């Protein structure tokens, strides 16, 4: 019986793909190994959003070169976005790799491994027929026993100048409404109580499905399964997103206590989504809202589809509808052509927005993207580093203030397990996705439990809590 090990780089979508890869390999009778050093098959599920992800992958895969030579029966598989976009570079820089499989073909890994016994450098980076990959409907094996990712769409129809995702993930394709709800029900039956809905642009979910129904109903026998019962019952058949309908449906699945989602696009965010978040008991008071820049000129160059003031108006609308909402964001520093005044506009808008936290990134040029070709506009690295540190001060100031404001509150904590640094401390998340440490609590025994805790102290990136006991069933303690 062969063993396997899967190493994941990148986003939650890759994490979810890796869970499905695990399910495929287990279905072939293979068993998980503890590390890449002992596995018969090592799978690297790669990311190509930023250059440092590429470099980390090549560093790790090349550490296996000597072992691959010593053990001819061992196999190395490279999957994911880097595999889809730069297949030739993989074999050039790491010729000991056996299989390269793109984002649309990960369901074929078992067949490709079988072919690798007879062929050298087996590859499948086909882009499919524009429909959803049937592998997505394979219920994965969640890495955690109480949380799971659920893919609701693949690909992206946006054309952000800095982003490689449309090239490596393809156009936006939504899964049938009923298939998603069915998967969540199956996960709940397995004991999963928190799900995170995944997509490159989740709040446009379903627009392609309703467009399909508007064009023709030939061969589509179950409109409710495809687009949901609310869409069918309204009788209008207009082209529209279905994300707010989906939030309500998933929130209503018995056994699901928390629903999260990532990532939405600000240009497509609608008031109906905020209303669904507020009205669906299981949907958490947590919103990731990627700003990217506070300069209108830079936003236009990025092709983001909104201005800074419009972003702020939507953020304020969300906070007015959803009580106690925590908001995080993404910001790129040093986008080609960014001036000092434009960066100052970003600092000003970020300060106004008062985010709970921010993922800040130094611009990374990606081959094949529009902005990657603007080499004459690249910002000096020293200037970028200075701006990055200044932005960090602003984001950490607002984040620390948001954390201090939670001291004294009673929060419902979902325990994820022991702290990575101290086995005598349990770690978990609030509904606002705040990390909370509970000293003297057995995190391993209580993994997956919902407990009440009073917040007694606040750090820059986490909170300290004092255990009070379990909340009443179905209650969401936060006061």
């Amino acid at each position: 019986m062969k063993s396997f090990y899967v190493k994941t780089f990148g986003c939650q979508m890759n994490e979810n793909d890796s869970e499905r890869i695990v399910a495929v390999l287990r279905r072939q009778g293979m068993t998980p190994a503890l590390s890449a050093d002992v596995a018969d098959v090592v799978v690297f599920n790669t990311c190509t959003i930023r250059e440092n992800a590429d470099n980390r992958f090549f560093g790790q895969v090349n550490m296996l070169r000597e072992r691959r030579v010593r053990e001819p029966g061992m196999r190395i598989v490279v999957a994911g976005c880097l595999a889809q976009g730069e297949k030739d570079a993989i074999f050039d820089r790491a010729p000991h790799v056996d299989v390269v499989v793109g984002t649309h073909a990960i369901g074929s890994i078992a067949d490709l491994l079988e072919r690798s016994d007879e062929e050298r450098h087996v590859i499948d980076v086909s882009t499919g027929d524009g429909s959803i990959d049937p592998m997505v409907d394979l219920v994965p094996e969640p890495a955690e026993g109480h949380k799971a990712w659920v893919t609701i769409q693949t690909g992206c129809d946006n054309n952000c100048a800095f982003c490689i995702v449309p090239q490596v993930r393809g156009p936006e394709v939504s899964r049938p409404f009923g298939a998603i709800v069915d998967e969540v029900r199956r996960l709940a039956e397995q004991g999963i109580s928190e799900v995170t809905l995944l997509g490159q642009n989740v709040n446009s979910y379903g627009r392609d499905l309703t467009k399909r129904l508007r064009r023709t109903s030939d061969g589509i026998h179950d409109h409710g399964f495809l687009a949901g019962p609310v869409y069918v019952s309204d009788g209008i058949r207009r082209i529209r997103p279905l994300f707010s309908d989906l939030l309500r449906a998933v929130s209503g699945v018995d056994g699901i206590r928390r629903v999260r989602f990532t990532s939405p696009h600000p240009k497509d965010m609608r008031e109906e989504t905020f209303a669904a978040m507020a009205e669906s008991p299981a949907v958490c008071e947590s919103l990731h809202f990627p700003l990217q820049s506070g300069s209108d000129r830079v936003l236009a160059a990025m092709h983001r589809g909104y201005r800074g003031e419009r972003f702020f108006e939507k953020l304020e609308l969300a906070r007015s509808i959803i009580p106690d909402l925590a908001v995080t964001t993404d910001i790129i520093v040093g986008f080609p052509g960014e001036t000092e005044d434009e960066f100052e506009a970003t600092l000003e808008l970020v300060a106004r927005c008062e985010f709970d936290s921010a993922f800040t990134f130094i611009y990374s040029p990606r081959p094949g993207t529009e902005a990657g070709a603007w080499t004459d506009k690249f910002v000096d690295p020293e200037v970028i580093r200075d701006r990055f540190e200044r932005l960090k001060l602003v984001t950490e100031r607002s984040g620390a203030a948001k954390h201090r404001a939670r001291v004294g509150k009673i929060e419902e904590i979902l325990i994820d397990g022991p702290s990575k640094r101290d086995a005598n401390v349990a770690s978990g998340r609030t509904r606002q996705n705040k990390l909370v440490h509970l000293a003297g609590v057995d995190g391993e025994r209580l993994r997956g439990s919902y407990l009440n805790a009073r917040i007694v102290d606040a750090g820059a990136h986490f909170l300290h809590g004092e255990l009070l006991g379990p909340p009443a069933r179905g209650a969401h303690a936060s006061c």
Side-chain angles (χ1 to χ4, degrees):
M1 184 178 293
K2 289 187 176 182
S3 63
F4 68 88
Y5 181 82
V6 180
K7 171 65 178 179
T8 308
F9 300 85
C11 67
Q12 297 96 330
M13 188 72 76
N14 275 17
E15 294 281 358
N16 191 228
D17 284 348
S18 290
E19 291 177 349
R20 297 177 195 280
I21 291 170
V22 169
V24 169
L25 297 179
R26 277 186 175 276
R27 197 165 57 181
Q28 295 299 116
M30 300 176 67
T31 58
L34 293 177
S35 73
D37 296 330
V38 296
D40 298 308
V41 175
V42 179
V43 181
F44 292 94
N45 193 14
T46 60
C47 173
T48 190
I49 294 295
R50 285 174 291 278
E51 186 178 11
N52 65 346
D54 294 9
N55 294 335
R56 284 195 302 123
F57 155 69
F58 280 111
Q60 293 196 26
V61 76
N62 283 325
M63 290 174 65
L64 295 175
R65 186 191 300 268
E66 291 185 7
R67 185 181 165 221
R68 177 66 184 84
V69 173
R70 290 196 314 268
E71 303 177 26
M74 179 205 175
R75 292 291 179 266
I76 300 174
V77 179
V78 180
C81 294
L82 184 66
Q84 186 72 37
E86 300 184 44
K87 59 185 186 297
D88 296 329
I90 292 171
F91 288 134
D92 289 344
R93 295 179 61 179
H96 54 295
V97 167
D98 300 282
V99 175
V100 168
V101 53
T103 56
H104 301 272
I106 55 177
S108 67
I109 283 181
D111 292 336
L112 297 176
L113 281 169
E114 187 174 343
R115 282 175 50 193
S116 72
D117 290 337
E118 306 293 335
E119 304 175 35
R120 191 80 183 97
H121 290 174
V122 179
I123 186 169
D124 185 352
V125 290
S126 56
T127 56
D129 59 2
S131 61
I132 201 82
D133 184 341
M135 187 188 173
V136 171
D137 287 322
L138 173 68
V139 176
E141 297 193 9
E144 298 181 84
H146 55 286
K147 294 181 177 180
W149 312 108
V150 177
T151 296
I152 67 171
Q153 66 181 184
T154 60
C156 183
D157 287 343
N158 294 309
N159 190 32
C160 296
F162 56 82
C163 187
I164 194 69
V165 167
Q167 287 94 312
V168 296
R169 289 278 181 181
E172 186 176 297
V173 183
S174 299
R175 292 179 67 193
F177 192 102
I180 297 168
V181 177
D182 285 348
E183 178 174 334
V184 173
R185 287 196 185 104
R186 292 196 297 269
L187 289 167
E189 290 168 359
Q190 296 174 19
I192 298 296
S193 65
E194 177 181 302
V195 294
T196 301
L197 307 180
L198 295 179
Q200 303 299 336
N201 184 11
V202 290
N203 45 330
S204 68
Y205 164 78
R207 185 180 286 122
D208 56 323
L209 300 179
T210 59
K211 185 181 295 185
R212 178 183 171 192
L213 286 175
R214 182 68 176 268
R215 282 200 302 260
T216 177
S217 60
D218 293 344
I220 305 173
H221 302 295
D222 191 343
H223 296 189
F225 183 80
L226 189 71
V230 173
Y231 182 81
V232 171
S233 64
D234 68 21
I236 301 175
R237 292 295 198 274
R238 61 188 174 90
I239 297 173
R240 67 172 178 85
L242 301 170
F243 188 58
S244 58
D245 297 351
L246 185 66
L247 282 179
R248 289 185 168 92
V250 171
S251 176
V253 172
D254 188 38
I256 297 299
R257 293 185 61 164
R258 289 187 177 180
V259 178
R260 304 186 188 279
F261 59 87
T262 194
S263 286
H265 195 300
K267 75 176 176 61
D268 294 319
M269 185 59 85
R270 300 151 67 106
E271 184 174 347
E272 65 186 37
T273 298
F274 301 146
M277 292 176 67
E279 296 164 10
S280 304
V283 179
C284 292
E285 297 80 13
S286 175
L287 174 65
H288 187 64
F289 210 41
L291 171 61
Q292 304 301 3
S293 174
S295 160
D296 288 347
R297 190 206 66 80
V298 173
L299 288 170
M302 290 177 169
H303 308 317
R304 289 296 288 171
Y306 54 85
R307 292 176 176 269
E309 193 61 33
R310 181 59 177 150
F311 177 95
F312 184 75
E313 289 170 358
K314 289 191 177 186
L315 176 59
E316 291 296 280
L317 177 63
R319 285 171 166 158
S320 71
I321 294 173
I322 307 163
D324 204 16
L325 179 67
V327 184
T328 58
T329 197
D330 295 334
I331 305 165
I332 295 174
V333 180
F335 184 77
E338 180 188 67
T339 67
E340 179 62 22
D341 286 346
E342 288 165 347
F343 176 70
E344 288 286 347
T346 296
L347 291 181
E348 291 173 11
L349 184 55
V350 169
R352 284 178 66 199
C353 289
E354 297 181 323
F355 295 111
D356 287 72
S357 67
F359 299 92
T360 53
F361 305 99
I362 291 174
Y363 171 73
S364 179
R366 298 284 74 201
T369 63
E370 182 179 353
W374 299 342
T375 54
D376 59 324
K377 298 181 180 179
F378 284 1
V379 180
D380 182 87
E382 287 297 322
V383 172
I384 291 178
R385 278 192 284 272
D386 174 69
R387 291 177 183 174
F388 188 85
E389 292 303 317
R390 288 155 61 196
L391 176 62
K392 185 178 175 182
L393 289 175
V394 175
T395 58
E396 289 189 347
R397 183 170 62 229
S398 65
K402 295 286 187 179
H403 275 192
R404 287 194 300 270
R406 304 206 78 84
V407 173
K409 292 191 174 191
I410 298 172
E411 304 275 8
E412 179 193 75
I413 316 296
L414 173 55
I415 303 298
D416 289 325
S419 165
K420 295 178 181 178
R421 295 185 176 182
D422 189 343
N424 295 314
V425 175
S427 295
R429 296 275 174 176
T430 70
R431 286 175 59 85
Q432 288 76 19
N433 210 26
K434 303 287 188 183
L435 177 63
V436 180
H437 295 310
L438 302 169
V441 176
D442 188 340
E444 189 60 50
R445 182 177 67 84
L446 294 173
R447 188 190 301 269
S449 299
Y450 290 81
L451 303 173
N452 274 341
R454 187 184 306 278
I455 305 303
V456 296
D457 194 15
H461 304 290
F462 55 83
L463 303 170
H464 291 284
E466 178 182 77
L467 185 63
L468 298 179
R473 180 171 178 78
H476 302 302
S478 182
C479 56

